[in-house]
Amino acid sequence: MEIKFCIYENGKPSFKNIDLDDEYGKKLKYSQEILSKILKWEELYDQILESNLAFKTELYSTALSRIGNARVDYIASHETRSKLNRLVFNTLNLSKLYLDKHYYEHKKDKEKTKCFAREVTCSNEVENEIKINRESIFKNSDGYRLGCELRRIAQHSTLPVKNMNSGFTNNTQDKRPEINSHFNLPIYKQQLLDCGANKTLLKKFNESIDLHEVMDEYIFRISEMHELNRKLTKETVEDAKSVFNKLYKDTELKYGKVEFGIDVYHNEERLFSLELDWFNVVDYLQGKHAYPINHRITHHNTYFTEQQKTR
């Protein structure tokens, strides 16, 4: 393995080919693989949250568009239900891909058990922490478990959005106008039972279950898992970045300022660059989704509060 770069000597470009010792070459390649895994991991997580956001956006948009609309339009309802199903189905499928990589325990052959954080850190202690966290969420979050049931049902039986309820009431009192509008996606317990859903789990829910609420809880718990993944892999990621940065810095200290970057080659085939500009996407995505948000307990208001109006 070697690095190739260009510097200026006596005002002219000079191209250098510098061999790396085998041990450092292996370390560099391993570090690149680690960083690539992290990038793909963050991209997958971003896809899940963006898909869920698209679902919520469509839900809120439909709710607004139906206010004051007393006309029953079965074609429009079909299109709305169809779009919501695509968005939920996409979110559930992406989450299945994520969860299988996050932690999947192979009951018969432990060596086939998958754990993303352990694969990155090579630490069995990390895997154990991931397993404990996953089991805790599964035990304590009925919404997450039902989300897993919906994922299975959507893949093997039927789409989740079958029913839509909407309406509005005029609650004007004391000459103060007030309209209450609602649009929700109920799932009926019997329909889930007919699709083979877990009977014991469904005993914890009412006959009518709010799909939106279940999806919020499900995504929130996946976000908690992802936050733990970031925490457990952070040190390994920083170590991998330092391997790149150190070689780049050492090269410039020895040969002078590099003009067009440093590329890593093996058998005359370019493998990757020592510059980590591409890894900035990870920093961006980690800032974009900085921490888990529980939408079930988050209230949004686009109007000024009375206190804001008096400022």
Side-chain angles (χ1 to χ4, degrees), residues 259-295:
E259 295 299 325
F260 308 109
I262 301 174
D263 292 327
V264 180
Y265 280 76
H266 181 63
N267 293 334
E268 294 304 316
E269 177 185 357
R270 183 185 180 279
L271 301 181
F272 48 84
S273 171
L274 281 187
E275 292 179 299
L276 289 175
D277 293 356
W278 58 274
F279 199 72
N280 290 339
V281 177
V282 171
D283 297 330
Y284 162 74
L285 292 175
Q286 290 184 347
K288 180 182 178 182
H289 309 299
Y291 50 85
I293 298 176
N294 188 349
H295 288 285

Side-chain angles (χ1 to χ4, degrees), residues 169-288:
T169 56
N170 190 331
N171 294 334
T172 301
Q173 296 179 357
D174 300 327
K175 297 182 180 181
R176 181 179 179 179
E178 180 180 284
I179 295 176
N180 288 342
S181 174
H182 72 270
F183 177 80
N184 48 57
L185 306 174
I187 309 175
Y188 298 112
K189 185 185 292 186
Q190 188 56 52
Q191 291 178 337
L192 295 176
L193 290 171
D194 292 342
C195 294
N198 187 297
K199 295 180 181 179
T200 303
L201 173 62
L202 287 178
K203 288 179 181 179
K204 301 180 180 182
F205 292 88
N206 296 325
E207 291 302 317
S208 181
I209 304 167
D210 188 339
L211 174 61
H212 189 193
E213 188 175 15
V214 172
M215 289 299 296
D216 277 350
E217 172 71 7
Y218 179 70
I219 296 300
F220 173 61
R221 298 305 178 182
I222 291 177
S223 296
E224 287 187 319
M225 295 178 192
H226 192 72
E227 184 178 46
L228 181 60
N229 272 301
R230 285 177 176 173
K231 174 186 173 183
L232 296 176
T233 59
K234 183 176 181 179
E235 184 177 346
T236 302
V237 170
E238 292 303 317
D239 289 344
K241 289 169 64 177
S242 70
V243 173
F244 276 69
N245 294 330
K246 184 178 185 303
L247 181 56
Y248 203 108
K249 182 178 179 180
D250 289 347
T251 301
E252 288 202 320
L253 284 174
K254 185 174 182 179
Y255 296 97
K257 179 175 173 55
V258 172
E259 295 299 325
F260 308 109
I262 301 174
D263 292 327
V264 180
Y265 280 76
H266 181 63
N267 293 334
E268 294 304 316
E269 177 185 357
R270 183 185 180 279
L271 301 181
F272 48 84
S273 171
L274 281 187
E275 292 179 299
L276 289 175
D277 293 356
W278 58 274
F279 199 72
N280 290 339
V281 177
V282 171
D283 297 330
Y284 162 74
L285 292 175
Q286 290 184 347
K288 180 182 178 182

Side-chain angles (χ1 to χ4, degrees), residues 5 27 31 39 52 79 92 107 110 128 149 160 165 170 193 197 201 229 233 238 244 255 294 303:
F5 56 93
K27 187 176 182 180
S31 296
L39 174 59
N52 186 60
E79 291 297 337
L92 293 173
K107 301 296 183 182
K110 294 295 183 182
N128 190 52
E149 286 290 300
N165 285 343
N170 190 331
L193 290 171
L201 173 62
N229 272 301
T233 59
E238 292 303 317
F244 276 69
Y255 296 97
N294 188 349
Y303 294 108

Side-chain angles (χ1 to χ4, degrees), residues 39-273:
L39 174 59
K40 291 177 182 178
W41 192 234
E42 289 291 346
E43 287 176 335
L44 175 56
Y45 179 64
D46 179 57
Q47 287 291 309
I48 295 171
L49 294 197
E50 285 297 320
S51 179
N52 186 60
L53 180 61
F55 161 67
K56 293 175 72 68
T57 300
E58 180 65 21
L59 197 59
Y60 293 139
S61 176
T62 302
L64 288 172
S65 67
R66 292 201 173 201
I67 296 176
N69 187 352
R71 182 172 62 92
V72 177
D73 189 333
Y74 292 103
I75 294 175
S77 293
H78 162 77
E79 291 297 337
T80 297
R81 187 166 51 250
S82 179
K83 188 169 185 178
L84 289 169
N85 264 321
R86 286 196 301 273
L87 294 170
V88 174
F89 187 76
N90 189 48
T91 302
L92 293 173
N93 271 344
L94 287 166
S95 70
K96 177 67 163 63
L97 179 59
Y98 182 96
L99 291 168
D100 282 351
K101 292 176 180 292
H102 169 68
Y103 184 83
Y104 177 77
E105 185 174 2
H106 198 284
K107 301 296 183 182
K108 295 182 179 180
D109 189 349
K110 294 295 183 182
E111 292 186 0
K112 293 183 180 180
T113 293
K114 296 180 180 179
C115 176
F116 176 81
R118 188 249 301 149
E119 291 170 6
V120 170
T121 63
C122 298
S123 169
N124 290 328
E125 291 181 3
V126 162
E127 178 180 342
N128 190 52
E129 192 166 347
I130 289 288
K131 181 179 179 181
I132 291 172
N133 172 260
R134 177 180 174 275
E135 290 174 348
S136 175
I137 289 175
F138 194 80
K139 178 181 178 181
N140 297 312
S141 175
D142 296 332
Y144 170 76
R145 290 181 62 193
L146 185 55
C148 292
E149 286 290 300
L150 290 177
R151 185 189 68 217
R152 181 183 61 79
I153 289 171
Q155 287 179 323
H156 301 291
S157 184
T158 186
L159 295 172
V161 181
K162 292 181 175 296
N163 310 289
M164 298 184 297
N165 285 343
S166 63
F168 60 93
T169 56
N170 190 331
N171 294 334
T172 301
Q173 296 179 357
D174 300 327
K175 297 182 180 181
R176 181 179 179 179
E178 180 180 284
I179 295 176
N180 288 342
S181 174
H182 72 270
F183 177 80
N184 48 57
L185 306 174
I187 309 175
Y188 298 112
K189 185 185 292 186
Q190 188 56 52
Q191 291 178 337
L192 295 176
L193 290 171
D194 292 342
C195 294
N198 187 297
K199 295 180 181 179
T200 303
L201 173 62
L202 287 178
K203 288 179 181 179
K204 301 180 180 182
F205 292 88
N206 296 325
E207 291 302 317
S208 181
I209 304 167
D210 188 339
L211 174 61
H212 189 193
E213 188 175 15
V214 172
M215 289 299 296
D216 277 350
E217 172 71 7
Y218 179 70
I219 296 300
F220 173 61
R221 298 305 178 182
I222 291 177
S223 296
E224 287 187 319
M225 295 178 192
H226 192 72
E227 184 178 46
L228 181 60
N229 272 301
R230 285 177 176 173
K231 174 186 173 183
L232 296 176
T233 59
K234 183 176 181 179
E235 184 177 346
T236 302
V237 170
E238 292 303 317
D239 289 344
K241 289 169 64 177
S242 70
V243 173
F244 276 69
N245 294 330
K246 184 178 185 303
L247 181 56
Y248 203 108
K249 182 178 179 180
D250 289 347
T251 301
E252 288 202 320
L253 284 174
K254 185 174 182 179
Y255 296 97
K257 179 175 173 55
V258 172
E259 295 299 325
F260 308 109
I262 301 174
D263 292 327
V264 180
Y265 280 76
H266 181 63
N267 293 334
E268 294 304 316
E269 177 185 357
R270 183 185 180 279
L271 301 181
F272 48 84
S273 171

